[in-house]
Amino acid sequence: MALIVQKFGGTSVADTEKMRNVAAKVIREKKAGNDVVVVLSAMAGETNRLIALAHKVSELPNEREYDSLISTGEQVTVALLAIILDSLGYQAKSFLGFQVKILTDKAHKKARIELIDTKEIKKELKKGTIVVVAGFQGVDEDNNITTLGRGGSDTSAVAIAAALKADRCDIFTDVDGVYTTDPNVYAKARRLNKVSYDEMLEMAMTGAKVLQPRSVEMAKKYNVPVYVKSTFSDEGGTLVTKEDKEMEKEVLSGVTYDKDQAKITVVHVPDKPGVAAGLFMPLSERNISVDMIIQNASAEGYTDLTFTVSKKEMKEAQKIINAAAKAVGAKRVEVDDDVAKISIIGVGMVSHSGVAARMFKTMSNEGINIMMISTSEIKISCIIKRKYTELAVTALHDAFGLEKKK
Ligand code: ASP
Ligand code: MG
């Protein structure tokens, strides 16, 4: 007998018919003799609808009430699934974040889980109950409802699996695994049977939407084996797990893209201590994450500084940076949101040479100009013009032979 956490995303619980299919998958694990904890998202589109409601009544909705509102989608799905399971003769019980309790910090809209009290869940499992937990939500120490950021129910599921020391965390979604690139962009994309935590994390952070990055971080930290599977088919699946020798043989495991990017350049910045801090502190105080940063070599005591932020935060970042640029004595600020980030990822990069050169050559063969570059041990990212996104993805996928069978 094993303890299994099953997480179902929004498209898997989009309506009651689909929820019956979810119930069947849950029952199958239960009948196999396993303890089952189910974690659910809201019905597809529901969180967006709730967010739109909040913005309809206020330009800057109060954050406490905002979280209280947008977490309700999950209350609907967990209760509905428990009702379905009960009607089929299975003992089931739904839990909201505060009922578990899933304790988070106080950062509304992007709270971090600090502790999960497993007492109630364990008590119910012992009685043979199927436990159904609302994803995406928690509660802070003052009993305010918090949410974990978009896509946060992945993190709920992995955190619960870690806290319960579950044997497996299955993430059911509308695709049958993790692919070498987005199959909607390139039909030659190949499903990976296995991918390492680090690669998955880089993929998730550079645009692959299949898992929330924080869930992968958590899986790595607590060594939770995560299976990404399709709700609608029993075929396929990708195991996200520890790195092994097999994985290192491949140069790359994927090509990702992110169109949610904007580039900001501060022109003619005095080159002296404290200037970068003067520009980036105000952004961080407003919780705006900066991704890539490039500072040009200084000429005559001045330099240009370019960085990227999420397109959604560009307007706010621009406002802040305009003021900060003035304060540090820079000449002007330029913004460009007509860009995309293309990344190649693979643990094999560590042992194979010439990977960056091959990437740049591939882009140049296609006539694509590279505006910014950043690297980590297992990732290289380039900022390019947005309209070349698909071209870059397919060219890189071909150049690194990703469609080949392993
Ligand atoms: N319902 C939330 C969202 O749409 C959480 C999730 O789906 O993981 O972001
Ligand atoms: Mg999701």
Side-chain angles (χ1 to χ4, degrees):
M1 188 174 97
L3 171 53
I4 293 163
V5 173
Q6 294 183 303
K7 182 257 166 179
F8 295 89
T11 47
S12 310
V13 295
D15 55 46
T16 49
E17 214 30 64
K18 295 213 169 75
M19 293 196 73
R20 287 187 188 284
N21 173 47
V22 166
K25 284 202 136 57
V26 173
I27 289 168
R28 194 161 73 185
E29 287 297 354
K30 184 73 191 157
K31 273 190 171 159
N34 299 313
D35 281 340
V36 187
V37 176
V38 186
V39 176
L40 298 183
S41 290
M43 290 183 179
E46 178 63 5
T47 310
N48 286 343
R49 188 183 73 84
L50 294 164
I51 289 172
L53 274 182
H55 287 290
K56 208 168 167 183
V57 293
S58 164
E59 209 173 297
L60 219 82
N62 174 287
E63 293 198 324
R64 179 187 187 274
E65 306 312 328
Y66 180 91
D67 272 354
S68 188
L69 172 70
I70 70 167
S71 62
T72 57
E74 275 75 9
Q75 179 164 359
V76 172
T77 51
V78 291
L80 267 176
L81 182 67
I83 291 172
I84 294 172
L85 289 167
D86 175 79
S87 74
L88 295 171
Y90 288 84
Q91 197 169 297
K93 195 166 174 178
S94 72
F95 284 88
L96 298 179
F98 78 89
Q99 292 174 307
V100 169
K101 88 189 212 179
I102 300 175
L103 184 70
T104 73
D105 62 16
K106 292 172 167 297
H108 284 293
K109 296 158 96 172
K110 46 174 110 174
R112 278 183 175 268
I113 296 175
E114 291 182 336
L115 198 82
I116 296 182
D117 184 351
T118 56
K119 216 170 45 236
E120 276 300 308
I121 296 181
K122 280 181 177 158
K123 198 172 87 191
E124 289 300 331
L125 289 175
K126 222 176 204 160
K127 288 194 264 179
T129 309
I130 298 169
V131 174
V132 188
V133 182
F136 184 50
Q137 56 175 267
V139 62
D140 72 12
E141 58 180 8
D142 295 322
N143 270 331
N144 302 301
I145 293 170
T146 53
T147 61
L148 310 179
R150 299 306 307 273
S153 44
D154 293 335
T155 303
S156 307
V158 174
I160 289 168
L164 290 170
K165 300 192 170 63
D167 296 279
R168 227 170 63 209
C169 181
D170 292 347
I171 305 271
F172 288 95
T173 178
D174 51 1
V175 291
D176 68 347
V178 179
Y179 278 73
T180 47
T181 195
D182 181 351
N184 295 315
V185 166
Y186 201 25
K188 284 187 180 169
R190 172 172 53 89
R191 186 177 51 75
L192 299 161
N193 290 320
K194 246 198 297 190
V195 65
S196 71
Y197 291 123
D198 288 327
E199 287 170 313
M200 190 65 241
L201 184 59
E202 293 281 14
M203 285 188 193
M205 289 199 303
T206 55
K209 288 177 193 72
V210 60
L211 289 173
Q212 199 201 32
R214 217 175 262 177
S215 71
V216 186
E217 255 170 37
M218 182 103 57
K220 182 185 176 188
K221 185 165 170 197
Y222 296 102
N223 205 8
V224 179
V226 172
Y227 282 86
V228 179
K229 301 177 180 182
S230 165
T231 313
F232 308 109
S233 130
D234 288 332
E235 303 295 310
T238 300
L239 172 62
V240 188
T241 182
K242 272 187 291 203
E243 190 180 319
D244 63 30
K245 287 269 172 304
E246 258 327 278
M247 295 173 182
E248 280 165 39
K249 280 191 213 145
E250 300 290 324
V251 182
L252 288 196
S253 49
V255 180
T256 56
Y257 65 91
D258 185 357
K259 293 183 176 177
D260 178 29
Q261 294 275 320
K263 181 164 75 79
I264 300 181
T265 303
V266 189
V267 182
H268 207 65
V269 188
D271 191 15
K272 59 179 191 212
V275 168
L279 291 172
F280 292 115
M281 286 293 288
L283 289 174
S284 95
E285 275 157 19
R286 298 289 287 276
N287 257 322
I288 294 179
S289 320
V290 171
D291 182 12
M292 290 191 200
I293 302 177
I294 289 182
Q295 184 184 318
N296 290 340
S298 168
E300 289 152 23
Y302 288 91
T303 173
D304 288 350
L305 222 144
T306 304
F307 60 93
T308 58
V309 295
S310 158
K311 199 171 177 159
K312 294 185 212 82
E313 297 184 322
M314 185 187 79
K315 285 255 153 62
E316 204 188 339
Q318 194 179 353
K319 232 189 271 166
I320 297 167
I321 264 316
N322 273 334
K326 233 181 236 146
V328 301
K331 204 178 243 169
R332 63 173 190 279
V333 175
E334 290 169 359
V335 298
D336 179 2
D337 66 355
D338 190 26
V339 297
K341 181 166 75 174
I342 305 292
S343 307
I344 60 174
I345 290 125
V347 289
M349 263 182 219
V350 179
S351 50
H352 292 78
S353 62
V355 178
R358 204 190 316 174
M359 178 182 199
F360 304 151
K361 183 82 180 95
T362 306
M363 306 283 248
S364 102
N365 286 347
E366 301 296 336
I368 302 172
N369 184 40
I370 300 171
M371 299 190 253
M372 295 173 83
I373 301 167
S374 81
T375 64
S376 78
E377 216 179 11
I378 64 164
K379 176 203 74 185
I380 306 168
S381 300
C382 297
I383 294 287
I384 61 171
K385 248 195 164 357
R386 202 181 149 89
K387 67 173 180 194
Y388 295 128
T389 307
E390 286 75 15
L391 178 61
V393 167
T394 50
L396 289 166
H397 200 274
D398 284 346
F400 286 94
L402 283 176
E403 77 285 359
K404 280 196 313 252
K405 272 265 156 285
K406 270 194 182 177

